[in-house]
Amino acid sequence: KELTKETLEEERHSWSIPWPYNLNSGGEDGDGDDDDENKTNGIPTIPMSEQKWFTLQMSDTYQEHNYIYQEMLSSHGSSQQAGMHDPNSLAMFVADHPYFAETILQLAMVLYYINDRGRGNDLLRRCMFLYEAALPSNVLPSNDTNNESNSNNAKSEMLIDIDRQPNSGLFATLFRIMQTSGMTGCHNNALATGRFLLSLDPLRDPMGVLLILDYYALASRRTTSGEEVKVEVGAAFIVELVESDRIKIHYKDPLTDRHHWCRLIDMPNWAYSYALALYRLSRNAEGGSEDERYEERAEDALVQAISKFPIVMPRLLFMNKVNTQDRALRMDWPTILSHFSGDVSEAARANDTVEERVTRASGEHLVRIFVQRCHKFWKEEDVVQWLYRCSERAVQENQQKKSGEDNGVDGVDGDENETSSQQAEAEDATTDTVTATNDSKSVSPPLTSTFSPALARYAQCDPSEYEDAFRTFPPEAIALDPNIVAPAMALGPNGRRRFLRRDQQQRGGGGRGGRGGDAAGGQDPLDIVRQMMGLGGNDGAGLQGVEVLDPDSPLLQLYLQSLLPWAQVEGVRPPPRG
């Protein structure tokens, strides 16, 4: 394989920059002047001047293997088509073509699903080796910051279009490496792979990396070395990525053709992970103003996340088996949770439009994935207490907002002194406000989650792809023959080429000896015996009855044929006689 930028420049007539990368200040597919954020109708995107697109180009040999693979897939009603659904036939194809990445990845996942993770990992590494050898150095991640070319590439976005068929396998391989690395506890490797995968297409995120990347960052727990103050690298990465505002989620509704976009903080998992990352950084700081600054920012971020996505907090408590039935002096969960019933009520959403229902379903889908994978980060005692304080504050702010609306107070145009006095009175009456019953008229409506329509981009993501283990099958359910898998795992010169050559001779009706078969493509039994004896075929056209031995035949057969008195080797003089 080869991967070059010139490929796209030569095929510009047949390829255009995909949406939403083609949006700029000069219009779609234009080269107009770009402003700071390169916005079109308020939609931020990456300036075209900073985009460098690459694609994989198949070599002639790889293209030939791809034709064979596509032919086997498209041959309806034949034994080959049935065989491609058989894992044993897939293993035989990999043995015949040991450097065809698509089938190698498929066989690797079959081995993972029968819990043969060792050999599955070997095939996955072989697949990654093929793509790594094809990628140029300026696309691969590098730690060499002194190189002038790397410094120039840092100003550009190295992008790859997944919709082009040769490129899709690279995205799938990187995602599987990220997934399997996280399953084996190599969270640092999973985080690095996920970051590289996201950088190849950050605005579309075709593999759904943003649904799990925050988990790998928080689970890595790696700290900087060689410094007096240890900083958690994963938490710092989350804070830096969110505050950089470089990642946007774009989605175009196929029914209405409307363009929706939102920021990274508008995703439920990133809103909560951003707050937790700030909280961890506040614990890493050694006191002083920096510690207070991180702690204040963490509390504000969590209050904002709870106010926007209150559906997450009760589910985190349930998954961590926190006792929410009893009342305590420090934490009164029953009173707080009474304000988090807005997402449970079906009557409040009876009049929602189709778009609103799709948006809510997509948001709840993301919440299920986040809670299922990241709930363990929220089970520590200090984190639970911090979660309670922020939940209490979110409830108070919701009640103050409701009370201001009832009194006709505008938070923007109102008198500042009056507003501050109302806030002070509300803080003094915190206990009475929180412990009010649901039947009281002063109780505000429960908190309700608000999701962005752009989250519908991830509605089709399979939650099983983000779990910490594969759902395996018993080996007898797939019946994968280990004797057939062994040649696929080996890369030696004496592979399965002899089976392929023999199959081609039978299907092609001819071989090196110029033998012909019948109309049905079979062979005369006597001709087969002649071949085994090394006597040549019936016609002997062009070879004068001399049989050319197949070097890919079994070694024992070649050895026995070489012992026959009429056997000759081309280029070697016969022994002298007499």
PDB file of all heavy atoms in Angstrom, residues 300-335:
ATOM      1  N   ASP A 300     -17.873  24.325  39.991  1.00  0.00           N
ATOM      2  CA  ASP A 300     -18.729  25.020  39.019  1.00  0.00           C
ATOM      3  C   ASP A 300     -19.031  24.127  37.817  1.00  0.00           C
ATOM      4  O   ASP A 300     -20.171  24.115  37.317  1.00  0.00           O
ATOM      5  CB  ASP A 300     -18.046  26.306  38.548  1.00  0.00           C
ATOM      6  CG  ASP A 300     -17.918  27.338  39.662  1.00  0.00           C
ATOM      7  OD1 ASP A 300     -18.680  27.239  40.655  1.00  0.00           O
ATOM      8  OD2 ASP A 300     -17.050  28.233  39.554  1.00  0.00           O
ATOM      9  N   ALA A 301     -18.028  23.375  37.356  1.00  0.00           N
ATOM     10  CA  ALA A 301     -18.243  22.501  36.201  1.00  0.00           C
ATOM     11  C   ALA A 301     -19.218  21.378  36.524  1.00  0.00           C
ATOM     12  O   ALA A 301     -20.071  21.027  35.698  1.00  0.00           O
ATOM     13  CB  ALA A 301     -16.911  21.928  35.725  1.00  0.00           C
ATOM     14  N   LEU A 302     -19.124  20.805  37.715  1.00  0.00           N
ATOM     15  CA  LEU A 302     -20.036  19.724  38.075  1.00  0.00           C
ATOM     16  C   LEU A 302     -21.453  20.242  38.286  1.00  0.00           C
ATOM     17  O   LEU A 302     -22.428  19.561  37.921  1.00  0.00           O
ATOM     18  CB  LEU A 302     -19.534  19.016  39.335  1.00  0.00           C
ATOM     19  CG  LEU A 302     -20.334  17.781  39.760  1.00  0.00           C
ATOM     20  CD1 LEU A 302     -20.402  16.761  38.626  1.00  0.00           C
ATOM     21  CD2 LEU A 302     -19.730  17.144  41.001  1.00  0.00           C
ATOM     22  N   VAL A 303     -21.595  21.413  38.880  1.00  0.00           N
ATOM     23  CA  VAL A 303     -22.933  21.991  39.032  1.00  0.00           C
ATOM     24  C   VAL A 303     -23.560  22.234  37.663  1.00  0.00           C
ATOM     25  O   VAL A 303     -24.758  21.963  37.454  1.00  0.00           O
ATOM     26  CB  VAL A 303     -22.857  23.300  39.845  1.00  0.00           C
ATOM     27  CG1 VAL A 303     -24.186  24.040  39.807  1.00  0.00           C
ATOM     28  CG2 VAL A 303     -22.463  23.004  41.282  1.00  0.00           C
ATOM     29  N   GLN A 304     -22.778  22.726  36.733  1.00  0.00           N
ATOM     30  CA  GLN A 304     -23.295  22.946  35.393  1.00  0.00           C
ATOM     31  C   GLN A 304     -23.668  21.621  34.723  1.00  0.00           C
ATOM     32  O   GLN A 304     -24.691  21.536  34.035  1.00  0.00           O
ATOM     33  CB  GLN A 304     -22.258  23.694  34.555  1.00  0.00           C
ATOM     34  CG  GLN A 304     -22.733  24.041  33.156  1.00  0.00           C
ATOM     35  CD  GLN A 304     -21.686  24.799  32.366  1.00  0.00           C
ATOM     36  OE1 GLN A 304     -20.588  25.054  32.874  1.00  0.00           O
ATOM     37  NE2 GLN A 304     -22.007  25.159  31.127  1.00  0.00           N
ATOM     38  N   ALA A 305     -22.845  20.596  34.910  1.00  0.00           N
ATOM     39  CA  ALA A 305     -23.152  19.290  34.316  1.00  0.00           C
ATOM     40  C   ALA A 305     -24.416  18.689  34.926  1.00  0.00           C
ATOM     41  O   ALA A 305     -25.252  18.119  34.209  1.00  0.00           O
ATOM     42  CB  ALA A 305     -21.969  18.341  34.504  1.00  0.00           C
ATOM     43  N   ILE A 306     -24.574  18.805  36.242  1.00  0.00           N
ATOM     44  CA  ILE A 306     -25.777  18.261  36.890  1.00  0.00           C
ATOM     45  C   ILE A 306     -27.012  19.032  36.462  1.00  0.00           C
ATOM     46  O   ILE A 306     -28.085  18.441  36.240  1.00  0.00           O
ATOM     47  CB  ILE A 306     -25.597  18.303  38.425  1.00  0.00           C
ATOM     48  CG1 ILE A 306     -24.497  17.335  38.856  1.00  0.00           C
ATOM     49  CG2 ILE A 306     -26.904  17.957  39.132  1.00  0.00           C
ATOM     50  CD1 ILE A 306     -24.169  17.403  40.328  1.00  0.00           C
ATOM     51  N   SER A 307     -26.905  20.344  36.337  1.00  0.00           N
ATOM     52  CA  SER A 307     -28.057  21.146  35.925  1.00  0.00           C
ATOM     53  C   SER A 307     -28.472  20.831  34.490  1.00  0.00           C
ATOM     54  O   SER A 307     -29.668  20.863  34.172  1.00  0.00           O
ATOM     55  CB  SER A 307     -27.731  22.631  36.058  1.00  0.00           C
ATOM     56  OG  SER A 307     -27.393  22.951  37.396  1.00  0.00           O
ATOM     57  N   LYS A 308     -27.509  20.528  33.639  1.00  0.00           N
ATOM     58  CA  LYS A 308     -27.823  20.264  32.237  1.00  0.00           C
ATOM     59  C   LYS A 308     -28.183  18.810  31.991  1.00  0.00           C
ATOM     60  O   LYS A 308     -29.040  18.510  31.148  1.00  0.00           O
ATOM     61  CB  LYS A 308     -26.625  20.649  31.368  1.00  0.00           C
ATOM     62  CG  LYS A 308     -26.951  20.728  29.892  1.00  0.00           C
ATOM     63  CD  LYS A 308     -25.834  21.392  29.124  1.00  0.00           C
ATOM     64  CE  LYS A 308     -26.235  21.623  27.675  1.00  0.00           C
ATOM     65  NZ  LYS A 308     -25.181  22.331  26.915  1.00  0.00           N
ATOM     66  N   PHE A 309     -27.553  17.890  32.709  1.00  0.00           N
ATOM     67  CA  PHE A 309     -27.826  16.459  32.543  1.00  0.00           C
ATOM     68  C   PHE A 309     -28.113  15.827  33.908  1.00  0.00           C
ATOM     69  O   PHE A 309     -27.315  15.026  34.415  1.00  0.00           O
ATOM     70  CB  PHE A 309     -26.639  15.759  31.880  1.00  0.00           C
ATOM     71  CG  PHE A 309     -26.156  16.430  30.623  1.00  0.00           C
ATOM     72  CD1 PHE A 309     -24.931  17.091  30.607  1.00  0.00           C
ATOM     73  CD2 PHE A 309     -26.918  16.413  29.477  1.00  0.00           C
ATOM     74  CE1 PHE A 309     -24.478  17.707  29.467  1.00  0.00           C
ATOM     75  CE2 PHE A 309     -26.472  17.037  28.322  1.00  0.00           C
ATOM     76  CZ  PHE A 309     -25.247  17.690  28.312  1.00  0.00           C
ATOM     77  N   PRO A 310     -29.240  16.170  34.538  1.00  0.00           N
ATOM     78  CA  PRO A 310     -29.541  15.580  35.859  1.00  0.00           C
ATOM     79  C   PRO A 310     -29.845  14.095  35.807  1.00  0.00           C
ATOM     80  O   PRO A 310     -29.844  13.427  36.840  1.00  0.00           O
ATOM     81  CB  PRO A 310     -30.760  16.386  36.326  1.00  0.00           C
ATOM     82  CG  PRO A 310     -31.402  16.863  35.063  1.00  0.00           C
ATOM     83  CD  PRO A 310     -30.287  17.124  34.105  1.00  0.00           C
ATOM     84  N   ILE A 311     -30.080  13.549  34.624  1.00  0.00           N
ATOM     85  CA  ILE A 311     -30.390  12.129  34.509  1.00  0.00           C
ATOM     86  C   ILE A 311     -29.192  11.257  34.883  1.00  0.00           C
ATOM     87  O   ILE A 311     -29.351  10.096  35.262  1.00  0.00           O
ATOM     88  CB  ILE A 311     -30.858  11.823  33.064  1.00  0.00           C
ATOM     89  CG1 ILE A 311     -31.382  10.401  32.956  1.00  0.00           C
ATOM     90  CG2 ILE A 311     -29.742  12.078  32.072  1.00  0.00           C
ATOM     91  CD1 ILE A 311     -31.946  10.070  31.582  1.00  0.00           C
ATOM     92  N   VAL A 312     -27.986  11.814  34.824  1.00  0.00           N
ATOM     93  CA  VAL A 312     -26.776  11.025  35.051  1.00  0.00           C
ATOM     94  C   VAL A 312     -26.575  10.748  36.532  1.00  0.00           C
ATOM     95  O   VAL A 312     -26.219   9.625  36.929  1.00  0.00           O
ATOM     96  CB  VAL A 312     -25.557  11.756  34.465  1.00  0.00           C
ATOM     97  CG1 VAL A 312     -24.274  10.977  34.760  1.00  0.00           C
ATOM     98  CG2 VAL A 312     -25.728  11.959  32.969  1.00  0.00           C
ATOM     99  N   MET A 313     -26.791  11.737  37.380  1.00  0.00           N
ATOM    100  CA  MET A 313     -26.436  11.622  38.794  1.00  0.00           C
ATOM    101  C   MET A 313     -27.142  10.464  39.512  1.00  0.00           C
ATOM    102  O   MET A 313     -26.481   9.665  40.186  1.00  0.00           O
ATOM    103  CB  MET A 313     -26.703  12.953  39.498  1.00  0.00           C
ATOM    104  CG  MET A 313     -25.994  13.102  40.835  1.00  0.00           C
ATOM    105  SD  MET A 313     -26.978  12.469  42.223  1.00  0.00           S
ATOM    106  CE  MET A 313     -28.325  13.632  42.220  1.00  0.00           C
ATOM    107  N   PRO A 314     -28.469  10.297  39.417  1.00  0.00           N
ATOM    108  CA  PRO A 314     -29.091   9.135  40.080  1.00  0.00           C
ATOM    109  C   PRO A 314     -28.591   7.798  39.565  1.00  0.00           C
ATOM    110  O   PRO A 314     -28.491   6.830  40.334  1.00  0.00           O
ATOM    111  CB  PRO A 314     -30.586   9.322  39.790  1.00  0.00           C
ATOM    112  CG  PRO A 314     -30.749  10.777  39.486  1.00  0.00           C
ATOM    113  CD  PRO A 314     -29.490  11.176  38.803  1.00  0.00           C
ATOM    114  N   ARG A 315     -28.245   7.722  38.300  1.00  0.00           N
ATOM    115  CA  ARG A 315     -27.760   6.459  37.748  1.00  0.00           C
ATOM    116  C   ARG A 315     -26.360   6.133  38.261  1.00  0.00           C
ATOM    117  O   ARG A 315     -26.032   4.960  38.461  1.00  0.00           O
ATOM    118  CB  ARG A 315     -27.768   6.517  36.221  1.00  0.00           C
ATOM    119  CG  ARG A 315     -29.164   6.713  35.639  1.00  0.00           C
ATOM    120  CD  ARG A 315     -29.183   6.509  34.143  1.00  0.00           C
ATOM    121  NE  ARG A 315     -30.515   6.703  33.576  1.00  0.00           N
ATOM    122  CZ  ARG A 315     -30.855   6.422  32.331  1.00  0.00           C
ATOM    123  NH1 ARG A 315     -29.933   5.940  31.501  1.00  0.00           N
ATOM    124  NH2 ARG A 315     -32.074   6.633  31.900  1.00  0.00           N
ATOM    125  N   LEU A 316     -25.534   7.153  38.465  1.00  0.00           N
ATOM    126  CA  LEU A 316     -24.221   6.912  39.049  1.00  0.00           C
ATOM    127  C   LEU A 316     -24.348   6.372  40.468  1.00  0.00           C
ATOM    128  O   LEU A 316     -23.625   5.449  40.867  1.00  0.00           O
ATOM    129  CB  LEU A 316     -23.403   8.204  39.049  1.00  0.00           C
ATOM    130  CG  LEU A 316     -22.912   8.715  37.693  1.00  0.00           C
ATOM    131  CD1 LEU A 316     -22.222  10.063  37.861  1.00  0.00           C
ATOM    132  CD2 LEU A 316     -21.974   7.719  37.038  1.00  0.00           C
ATOM    133  N   LEU A 317     -25.286   6.936  41.232  1.00  0.00           N
ATOM    134  CA  LEU A 317     -25.497   6.449  42.598  1.00  0.00           C
ATOM    135  C   LEU A 317     -26.002   5.018  42.596  1.00  0.00           C
ATOM    136  O   LEU A 317     -25.611   4.196  43.433  1.00  0.00           O
ATOM    137  CB  LEU A 317     -26.475   7.371  43.328  1.00  0.00           C
ATOM    138  CG  LEU A 317     -26.044   8.838  43.489  1.00  0.00           C
ATOM    139  CD1 LEU A 317     -27.161   9.630  44.168  1.00  0.00           C
ATOM    140  CD2 LEU A 317     -24.762   8.939  44.283  1.00  0.00           C
ATOM    141  N   PHE A 318     -26.882   4.695  41.663  1.00  0.00           N
ATOM    142  CA  PHE A 318     -27.432   3.341  41.603  1.00  0.00           C
ATOM    143  C   PHE A 318     -26.362   2.325  41.219  1.00  0.00           C
ATOM    144  O   PHE A 318     -26.296   1.234  41.810  1.00  0.00           O
ATOM    145  CB  PHE A 318     -28.594   3.305  40.610  1.00  0.00           C
ATOM    146  CG  PHE A 318     -29.162   1.930  40.383  1.00  0.00           C
ATOM    147  CD1 PHE A 318     -30.012   1.358  41.317  1.00  0.00           C
ATOM    148  CD2 PHE A 318     -28.826   1.201  39.251  1.00  0.00           C
ATOM    149  CE1 PHE A 318     -30.529   0.077  41.119  1.00  0.00           C
ATOM    150  CE2 PHE A 318     -29.334  -0.068  39.046  1.00  0.00           C
ATOM    151  CZ  PHE A 318     -30.188  -0.629  39.984  1.00  0.00           C
ATOM    152  N   MET A 319     -25.526   2.653  40.226  1.00  0.00           N
ATOM    153  CA  MET A 319     -24.492   1.717  39.795  1.00  0.00           C
ATOM    154  C   MET A 319     -23.442   1.500  40.882  1.00  0.00           C
ATOM    155  O   MET A 319     -22.903   0.398  41.012  1.00  0.00           O
ATOM    156  CB  MET A 319     -23.830   2.230  38.522  1.00  0.00           C
ATOM    157  CG  MET A 319     -24.729   2.229  37.303  1.00  0.00           C
ATOM    158  SD  MET A 319     -25.258   0.576  36.803  1.00  0.00           S
ATOM    159  CE  MET A 319     -23.683  -0.151  36.362  1.00  0.00           C
ATOM    160  N   ASN A 320     -23.171   2.522  41.686  1.00  0.00           N
ATOM    161  CA  ASN A 320     -22.194   2.387  42.772  1.00  0.00           C
ATOM    162  C   ASN A 320     -22.814   1.905  44.078  1.00  0.00           C
ATOM    163  O   ASN A 320     -22.114   1.814  45.094  1.00  0.00           O
ATOM    164  CB  ASN A 320     -21.498   3.733  43.006  1.00  0.00           C
ATOM    165  CG  ASN A 320     -20.594   4.112  41.855  1.00  0.00           C
ATOM    166  OD1 ASN A 320     -19.934   3.263  41.268  1.00  0.00           O
ATOM    167  ND2 ASN A 320     -20.574   5.401  41.529  1.00  0.00           N
ATOM    168  N   LYS A 321     -24.110   1.611  44.055  1.00  0.00           N
ATOM    169  CA  LYS A 321     -24.833   1.068  45.214  1.00  0.00           C
ATOM    170  C   LYS A 321     -24.710   1.983  46.434  1.00  0.00           C
ATOM    171  O   LYS A 321     -24.457   1.533  47.567  1.00  0.00           O
ATOM    172  CB  LYS A 321     -24.324  -0.340  45.547  1.00  0.00           C
ATOM    173  CG  LYS A 321     -24.531  -1.333  44.414  1.00  0.00           C
ATOM    174  CD  LYS A 321     -24.024  -2.718  44.777  1.00  0.00           C
ATOM    175  CE  LYS A 321     -24.244  -3.692  43.623  1.00  0.00           C
ATOM    176  NZ  LYS A 321     -23.759  -5.058  43.943  1.00  0.00           N
ATOM    177  N   VAL A 322     -24.884   3.263  46.196  1.00  0.00           N
ATOM    178  CA  VAL A 322     -24.874   4.235  47.278  1.00  0.00           C
ATOM    179  C   VAL A 322     -26.233   4.205  47.972  1.00  0.00           C
ATOM    180  O   VAL A 322     -27.282   4.161  47.312  1.00  0.00           O
ATOM    181  CB  VAL A 322     -24.563   5.647  46.747  1.00  0.00           C
ATOM    182  CG1 VAL A 322     -24.638   6.678  47.871  1.00  0.00           C
ATOM    183  CG2 VAL A 322     -23.199   5.670  46.090  1.00  0.00           C
ATOM    184  N   ASN A 323     -26.221   4.211  49.284  1.00  0.00           N
ATOM    185  CA  ASN A 323     -27.453   4.183  50.055  1.00  0.00           C
ATOM    186  C   ASN A 323     -28.155   5.536  49.948  1.00  0.00           C
ATOM    187  O   ASN A 323     -27.724   6.538  50.524  1.00  0.00           O
ATOM    188  CB  ASN A 323     -27.149   3.868  51.519  1.00  0.00           C
ATOM    189  CG  ASN A 323     -28.412   3.696  52.345  1.00  0.00           C
ATOM    190  OD1 ASN A 323     -29.534   3.709  51.818  1.00  0.00           O
ATOM    191  ND2 ASN A 323     -28.259   3.539  53.658  1.00  0.00           N
ATOM    192  N   THR A 324     -29.235   5.566  49.185  1.00  0.00           N
ATOM    193  CA  THR A 324     -29.996   6.799  48.985  1.00  0.00           C
ATOM    194  C   THR A 324     -31.342   6.779  49.702  1.00  0.00           C
ATOM    195  O   THR A 324     -32.172   7.667  49.473  1.00  0.00           O
ATOM    196  CB  THR A 324     -30.228   7.021  47.480  1.00  0.00           C
ATOM    197  OG1 THR A 324     -30.937   5.893  46.938  1.00  0.00           O
ATOM    198  CG2 THR A 324     -28.915   7.195  46.748  1.00  0.00           C
ATOM    199  N   GLN A 325     -31.554   5.795  50.566  1.00  0.00           N
ATOM    200  CA  GLN A 325     -32.829   5.696  51.273  1.00  0.00           C
ATOM    201  C   GLN A 325     -32.777   6.341  52.650  1.00  0.00           C
ATOM    202  O   GLN A 325     -33.776   6.900  53.113  1.00  0.00           O
ATOM    203  CB  GLN A 325     -33.224   4.215  51.406  1.00  0.00           C
ATOM    204  CG  GLN A 325     -33.338   3.478  50.081  1.00  0.00           C
ATOM    205  CD  GLN A 325     -34.415   4.066  49.191  1.00  0.00           C
ATOM    206  OE1 GLN A 325     -35.440   4.560  49.661  1.00  0.00           O
ATOM    207  NE2 GLN A 325     -34.172   4.028  47.883  1.00  0.00           N
ATOM    208  N   ASP A 326     -31.622   6.250  53.298  1.00  0.00           N
ATOM    209  CA  ASP A 326     -31.498   6.785  54.650  1.00  0.00           C
ATOM    210  C   ASP A 326     -31.031   8.233  54.618  1.00  0.00           C
ATOM    211  O   ASP A 326     -30.309   8.656  53.707  1.00  0.00           O
ATOM    212  CB  ASP A 326     -30.516   5.942  55.473  1.00  0.00           C
ATOM    213  CG  ASP A 326     -30.971   4.493  55.592  1.00  0.00           C
ATOM    214  OD1 ASP A 326     -32.194   4.253  55.467  1.00  0.00           O
ATOM    215  OD2 ASP A 326     -30.102   3.618  55.781  1.00  0.00           O
ATOM    216  N   ARG A 327     -31.462   8.981  55.649  1.00  0.00           N
ATOM    217  CA  ARG A 327     -31.041  10.365  55.803  1.00  0.00           C
ATOM    218  C   ARG A 327     -29.911  10.434  56.819  1.00  0.00           C
ATOM    219  O   ARG A 327     -29.913   9.738  57.808  1.00  0.00           O
ATOM    220  CB  ARG A 327     -32.205  11.248  56.261  1.00  0.00           C
ATOM    221  CG  ARG A 327     -33.239  11.525  55.183  1.00  0.00           C
ATOM    222  CD  ARG A 327     -34.331  12.459  55.699  1.00  0.00           C
ATOM    223  NE  ARG A 327     -35.176  12.924  54.621  1.00  0.00           N
ATOM    224  CZ  ARG A 327     -36.279  12.306  54.212  1.00  0.00           C
ATOM    225  NH1 ARG A 327     -36.646  11.171  54.807  1.00  0.00           N
ATOM    226  NH2 ARG A 327     -37.001  12.805  53.227  1.00  0.00           N
ATOM    227  N   ALA A 328     -28.932  11.287  56.527  1.00  0.00           N
ATOM    228  CA  ALA A 328     -27.796  11.486  57.422  1.00  0.00           C
ATOM    229  C   ALA A 328     -27.592  12.981  57.611  1.00  0.00           C
ATOM    230  O   ALA A 328     -28.194  13.815  56.924  1.00  0.00           O
ATOM    231  CB  ALA A 328     -26.532  10.826  56.877  1.00  0.00           C
ATOM    232  N   LEU A 329     -26.733  13.301  58.555  1.00  0.00           N
ATOM    233  CA  LEU A 329     -26.491  14.706  58.844  1.00  0.00           C
ATOM    234  C   LEU A 329     -25.763  15.383  57.704  1.00  0.00           C
ATOM    235  O   LEU A 329     -26.057  16.529  57.366  1.00  0.00           O
ATOM    236  CB  LEU A 329     -25.686  14.836  60.145  1.00  0.00           C
ATOM    237  CG  LEU A 329     -25.401  16.267  60.622  1.00  0.00           C
ATOM    238  CD1 LEU A 329     -26.716  16.999  60.905  1.00  0.00           C
ATOM    239  CD2 LEU A 329     -24.510  16.255  61.848  1.00  0.00           C
ATOM    240  N   ARG A 330     -24.820  14.679  57.088  1.00  0.00           N
ATOM    241  CA  ARG A 330     -24.035  15.283  56.019  1.00  0.00           C
ATOM    242  C   ARG A 330     -24.691  15.131  54.656  1.00  0.00           C
ATOM    243  O   ARG A 330     -24.560  16.008  53.794  1.00  0.00           O
ATOM    244  CB  ARG A 330     -22.638  14.662  55.982  1.00  0.00           C
ATOM    245  CG  ARG A 330     -21.772  15.010  57.178  1.00  0.00           C
ATOM    246  CD  ARG A 330     -20.361  14.456  57.003  1.00  0.00           C
ATOM    247  NE  ARG A 330     -20.368  13.001  56.833  1.00  0.00           N
ATOM    248  CZ  ARG A 330     -19.290  12.273  56.552  1.00  0.00           C
ATOM    249  NH1 ARG A 330     -18.108  12.890  56.387  1.00  0.00           N
ATOM    250  NH2 ARG A 330     -19.367  10.970  56.438  1.00  0.00           N
ATOM    251  N   MET A 331     -25.384  14.034  54.413  1.00  0.00           N
ATOM    252  CA  MET A 331     -25.980  13.788  53.102  1.00  0.00           C
ATOM    253  C   MET A 331     -27.419  13.314  53.281  1.00  0.00           C
ATOM    254  O   MET A 331     -27.664  12.278  53.908  1.00  0.00           O
ATOM    255  CB  MET A 331     -25.165  12.739  52.330  1.00  0.00           C
ATOM    256  CG  MET A 331     -23.785  13.217  51.919  1.00  0.00           C
ATOM    257  SD  MET A 331     -22.876  12.012  50.911  1.00  0.00           S
ATOM    258  CE  MET A 331     -22.607  10.715  52.122  1.00  0.00           C
ATOM    259  N   ASP A 332     -28.332  14.076  52.731  1.00  0.00           N
ATOM    260  CA  ASP A 332     -29.759  13.755  52.764  1.00  0.00           C
ATOM    261  C   ASP A 332     -30.199  13.458  51.325  1.00  0.00           C
ATOM    262  O   ASP A 332     -30.830  14.292  50.658  1.00  0.00           O
ATOM    263  CB  ASP A 332     -30.542  14.920  53.359  1.00  0.00           C
ATOM    264  CG  ASP A 332     -32.017  14.569  53.567  1.00  0.00           C
ATOM    265  OD1 ASP A 332     -32.379  13.394  53.354  1.00  0.00           O
ATOM    266  OD2 ASP A 332     -32.792  15.464  53.919  1.00  0.00           O
ATOM    267  N   TRP A 333     -29.861  12.260  50.859  1.00  0.00           N
ATOM    268  CA  TRP A 333     -30.138  11.917  49.475  1.00  0.00           C
ATOM    269  C   TRP A 333     -31.623  11.861  49.132  1.00  0.00           C
ATOM    270  O   TRP A 333     -32.008  12.278  48.023  1.00  0.00           O
ATOM    271  CB  TRP A 333     -29.483  10.581  49.122  1.00  0.00           C
ATOM    272  CG  TRP A 333     -28.005  10.663  48.894  1.00  0.00           C
ATOM    273  CD1 TRP A 333     -27.021  10.080  49.629  1.00  0.00           C
ATOM    274  CD2 TRP A 333     -27.340  11.358  47.841  1.00  0.00           C
ATOM    275  NE1 TRP A 333     -25.779  10.371  49.120  1.00  0.00           N
ATOM    276  CE2 TRP A 333     -25.941  11.165  48.011  1.00  0.00           C
ATOM    277  CE3 TRP A 333     -27.767  12.156  46.778  1.00  0.00           C
ATOM    278  CZ2 TRP A 333     -25.007  11.713  47.155  1.00  0.00           C
ATOM    279  CZ3 TRP A 333     -26.825  12.700  45.928  1.00  0.00           C
ATOM    280  CH2 TRP A 333     -25.466  12.484  46.115  1.00  0.00           C
ATOM    281  N   PRO A 334     -32.514  11.356  49.989  1.00  0.00           N
ATOM    282  CA  PRO A 334     -33.940  11.315  49.598  1.00  0.00           C
ATOM    283  C   PRO A 334     -34.496  12.680  49.247  1.00  0.00           C
ATOM    284  O   PRO A 334     -35.285  12.812  48.296  1.00  0.00           O
ATOM    285  CB  PRO A 334     -34.622  10.710  50.829  1.00  0.00           C
ATOM    286  CG  PRO A 334     -33.564   9.896  51.485  1.00  0.00           C
ATOM    287  CD  PRO A 334     -32.297  10.660  51.278  1.00  0.00           C
ATOM    288  N   THR A 335     -34.103  13.707  49.975  1.00  0.00           N
ATOM    289  CA  THR A 335     -34.618  15.044  49.686  1.00  0.00           C
ATOM    290  C   THR A 335     -34.044  15.574  48.385  1.00  0.00           C
ATOM    291  O   THR A 335     -34.764  16.183  47.577  1.00  0.00           O
ATOM    292  CB  THR A 335     -34.270  15.999  50.834  1.00  0.00           C
ATOM    293  OG1 THR A 335     -34.815  15.482  52.046  1.00  0.00           O
ATOM    294  CG2 THR A 335     -34.844  17.374  50.575  1.00  0.00           C
TER     295      THR A 335
END
